[in-house]
Amino acid sequence: MIKILERLGVPRTLMLGFLAVAIFMTGDGFELTFLSKFMVDQGFTSSQASLLVTVYGLFAAFGGWSAGVLAEMFGARKVMMFGACWWIGVHLLFLGIAIPSHIYPLILCLYAMRGIGYPLFIYSFVVLMAQYISPSRLASATGFFWTCFSLGIGVFGAYLPSFIMPIVGEYKTFWFALPFSIVGTLMCFFFVPKNKVVKGEGLNRKEQLKELAEGATILVTNRKILICAIIRIINNLLLYGFPVIMPLYLCTTHNGGINIFKTEEWMRIWGFVFVITLIFNTFWGWFMDRYGWVWPMRWFGCAALAVGSVAFYYIPQWFGANAVMMIIASIIVGIGTCAFSSLPTIGYGGVCWTYAALYVLAFILTLFIRPQQPGFDSHGHRIKKSADSVKEVAAEAKEDAPAVA
């Protein structure tokens, strides 16, 4: 296994960090597939359940936006530890105080605040990847990073609670997230290396604030990064959106729900999305390193998800409680990727068609980006290797060898 990871460009110094990401995200994903149904069962409206996850997603986006800048300025491991401890502390308040109180503003506030934690943990680790991994292998390693993310939040985070919840109930199942988040935090503390370069070292407070401001305004000053950010947000919409609407659509009669699956059955169907991503995250990373970044993102990250979005709505309508057909829809969605959204007033079908329209928009936006990728020209065509470039790659591999020995 170590040899396979090294071929993907993952140095041994980061391997336990990838495992920490998978374990921590298992805890973060524990309630994702049944939180909206739990809220409705507690007497809250579907709009309130939807708003809870939507605001969580907004705060998570803020955490993700700031993670890279903070990790470069102050050190990735410090930011990871802060994010993890923040998550654990707020989660304890959310479970111990907010949910038992039945006070919706308190529940909303604490759950949203928890959303800042996990992006600081995982995206700070991406900064370390960029410093420790050769640019020519970074797409492969990033694919493995998303595989670890999916293994945590989607596979273990969906399947484990699907077996625990029928035994102990929904509320107690929330508490089972803590051991995973704590273990992931401890692994970060003991095994994640420090930055090779920390921008904030040697800078005074004014200079540090200037660097932070430049990082915070990059979406305004760099149009290409703005377009890529919009595409990435759209591409990931299902991760938080479908776990909100689908348990209400498939497992209740609320607001036109069809109530044909048990909650734990739905959780296992959704978990299969991430089983597929375990394969395709790594595959697409390897594939993009060799054949380019943009067109797989265009056709599979956008076009396939446009189909998968509406398939989740119509397959239950056409085939009833057919788990096999739902798994086919999961495969389509899993080949793309998944993030958050709210329950609009346009109904379950309208939500799915909205997702499809957004993926079409993302498809169009990919026509306007031409990232500079090592080994490819400005048009995305692979550059034929000369004898000199082969020697450079061999020399680079020789330089990297001590770091992974």
Side-chain angles (χ1 to χ4, degrees):
M1 183 63 180
I2 291 176
K3 293 294 184 183
I4 293 173
L5 295 180
E6 288 176 346
R7 288 174 185 171
L8 290 173
V10 179
R12 294 192 183 190
T13 51
L14 294 183
M15 287 182 185
L16 288 176
F18 281 95
L19 182 59
V21 168
I23 293 173
F24 187 88
M25 290 311 299
T26 298
D28 182 77
F30 234 67
E31 83 281 346
L32 188 61
T33 51
F34 66 93
L35 178 61
S36 63
K37 183 177 180 296
F38 171 81
M39 291 293 290
V40 171
D41 290 343
Q42 296 300 304
F44 297 102
T45 66
S46 58
S47 296
Q48 288 175 314
S50 172
L51 180 63
L52 187 68
V53 182
T54 299
V55 175
Y56 182 86
L58 291 173
F59 276 70
F62 172 76
W65 185 27
S66 58
V69 180
L70 293 173
E72 287 188 337
M73 286 294 295
F74 305 112
R77 190 169 67 177
K78 288 181 181 178
V79 179
M80 289 177 73
M81 289 300 300
F82 175 82
C85 293
W86 176 276
W87 191 99
I88 292 168
V90 177
H91 188 67
L92 285 169
L93 294 175
F94 175 70
L95 296 184
I97 298 175
I99 289 182
S101 75
H102 279 70
I103 301 173
Y104 182 75
L106 181 60
I107 294 173
L108 180 66
C109 178
L110 285 175
Y111 194 64
M113 289 175 64
R114 201 196 80 177
I116 297 173
Y118 92 80
L120 292 178
F121 185 86
I122 66 169
Y123 295 126
S124 295
F125 185 72
V126 175
V127 171
L128 288 181
M129 291 170 54
Q131 293 190 3
Y132 278 82
I133 297 172
S134 166
S136 63
R137 308 302 297 273
L138 193 55
S140 297
T142 302
F144 182 66
F145 167 82
W146 287 113
T147 296
C148 294
F149 175 88
S150 298
L151 184 67
I153 195 172
V155 179
F156 291 124
Y159 282 107
L160 288 178
S162 77
F163 294 108
I164 295 170
M165 190 185 66
I167 300 172
V168 302
E170 293 174 337
Y171 176 68
K172 290 182 180 179
T173 300
F174 290 141
W175 289 92
F176 281 83
L178 282 169
F180 294 96
S181 58
I182 292 170
V183 170
T185 303
L186 291 174
M187 290 188 67
C188 170
F189 181 78
F190 287 109
F191 302 118
V192 170
K194 295 181 179 180
N195 289 40
K196 287 185 175 180
V197 178
V198 179
K199 284 187 177 180
E201 287 184 352
L203 300 180
N204 59 38
R205 184 58 55 86
K206 184 178 179 180
E207 291 170 330
Q208 288 179 344
L209 290 173
K210 182 181 177 182
E211 288 286 337
L212 290 172
E214 289 178 357
T217 58
I218 194 168
L219 294 180
V220 178
T221 59
N222 191 314
R223 186 177 68 90
K224 291 181 179 179
I225 292 180
L226 174 61
I227 292 174
C228 289
I230 293 171
I231 293 169
R232 183 59 183 169
I233 289 170
I234 293 174
N235 183 247
N236 278 326
L237 279 174
L238 296 183
L239 179 62
Y240 290 108
F242 268 27
V244 175
I245 65 167
M246 283 301 154
L248 301 179
Y249 172 54
L250 298 173
C251 308
T252 75
T253 56
H254 194 78
N255 283 357
I258 56 179
N259 194 25
I260 59 173
F261 288 105
K262 295 179 180 179
T263 305
E264 55 267 30
E265 291 174 331
W266 143 250
M267 294 164 75
R268 292 162 196 164
I269 289 170
W270 184 246
F272 199 83
V273 169
F274 291 90
V275 172
I276 296 300
T277 66
L278 296 183
I279 301 169
F280 277 89
N281 275 326
T282 302
F283 169 77
W284 285 129
W286 170 86
F287 189 90
M288 290 178 182
D289 271 342
R290 285 153 181 79
Y291 302 107
W293 291 340
V294 176
W295 75 264
M297 173 178 62
R298 178 181 302 149
W299 288 103
F300 291 91
C302 300
L305 280 176
V307 175
S309 299
V310 291
F312 258 86
Y313 176 74
Y314 284 108
I315 282 178
Q317 297 274 356
W318 295 338
F319 299 98
N322 189 320
V324 173
M325 293 304 297
M326 290 299 291
I327 285 174
I328 291 174
S330 298
I331 291 172
I332 296 172
V333 170
I335 290 175
T337 35
C338 323
F340 84 92
S341 185
S342 63
L343 189 66
T345 56
I346 53 178
Y348 299 113
V351 172
C352 295
W353 276 106
T354 299
Y355 280 129
L358 287 170
Y359 290 124
V360 171
L361 171 62
F363 177 94
I364 295 170
L365 288 174
T366 65
L367 300 174
F368 296 93
I369 59 171
R370 293 181 176 85
Q372 187 60 48
Q373 179 177 357
F376 292 80
D377 62 24
S378 60
H379 300 287
H381 301 138
R382 189 166 184 83
I383 299 171
K384 292 183 178 180
K385 293 182 178 179
S386 64
D388 290 339
S389 67
V390 171
K391 290 178 181 178
E392 288 176 5
V393 171
E396 183 183 84
K398 188 175 181 180
E399 290 177 2
D400 290 343
V404 297

